[in-house]
């Protein structure tokens, strides 16, 4: 199955903002992790993942998000998810990700939580 997943990334000060578009499966999750690692290796420890244009995240996609959370926890970094569709919010809640990462309604509100 071909994925139409896309993402954009921007560094705002010392905060990385990743905005996803499409289904976050293994390919999407890997793209998020690769983008995160590019910035993490340069010392970025604050990350926002904006799911405004994504409707679903599967378990493999979540595994990549967990890897990001683990890396950030080792350096006292922080991850905040924003613009969550109800299905994604429910999935992240069930998986317990909000025990280790934050949640905000919008990117703007997330930026105020760092």
């Amino acid at each position: 199955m071909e994925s139409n997943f896309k993402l954009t990334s921007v560094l705002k000060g010392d905060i990385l903002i990743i905005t996803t578009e499409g289904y976050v499966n293994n390919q999407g999750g890997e793209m998020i992790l690769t983008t995160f690692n590019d910035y993490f290796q340069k010392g970025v420890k604050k990350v926002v993942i904006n799911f405004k244009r994504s409707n679903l995240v599967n378990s493999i996609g979540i595994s990549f998000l967990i890897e990001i959370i683990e890396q950030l926890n080792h350096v006292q970094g922080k991850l905040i998810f924003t613009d969550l569709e109800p299905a994604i919010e429910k999935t992240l809640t069930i998986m317990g990700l909000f025990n280790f990462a934050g949640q905000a309604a919008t990117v703007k509100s997330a930026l105020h939580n760092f």
Side-chain angles (χ1 to χ4, degrees):
M1 183 172 142
E2 185 176 327
S3 174
N4 294 321
F5 182 83
K6 300 175 188 170
L7 68 75
T8 59
S9 61
V10 62
L11 196 58
K12 191 162 190 157
D14 62 346
I15 303 170
L16 171 63
I17 302 168
I18 297 173
T19 301
T20 67
E21 181 176 344
Y23 182 36
V24 183
N25 55 12
N26 59 324
Q27 184 181 22
E30 188 171 355
M31 288 175 67
I32 294 169
L33 179 61
T34 299
T35 300
F36 163 76
N37 280 332
D38 288 344
Y39 288 92
F40 185 71
Q41 292 169 357
K42 297 173 185 169
V44 173
K45 299 177 186 174
K46 300 173 185 172
V47 180
V48 173
I49 298 181
N50 177 359
F51 284 118
K52 187 174 187 175
R53 296 187 180 121
S54 290
N55 296 326
L56 289 171
V57 179
N58 73 8
S59 59
I60 298 173
I62 287 176
S63 71
F64 288 101
L65 300 177
I66 291 171
E67 190 169 334
I68 291 170
I69 290 170
E70 288 177 347
Q71 289 187 56
L72 287 171
N73 282 342
H74 285 287
V75 297
Q76 285 78 45
K78 187 174 183 179
L79 171 63
I80 298 177
F81 297 107
T82 70
D83 296 276
L84 298 172
E85 289 287 328
I88 293 178
E89 183 177 3
K90 184 176 180 180
T91 301
L92 298 181
T93 299
I94 290 170
M95 299 297 289
L97 269 63
F98 295 124
N99 293 323
F100 306 99
Q103 177 183 3
T106 64
V107 171
K108 185 177 180 181
S109 60
L111 295 176
H112 291 291
N113 289 323
F114 284 105

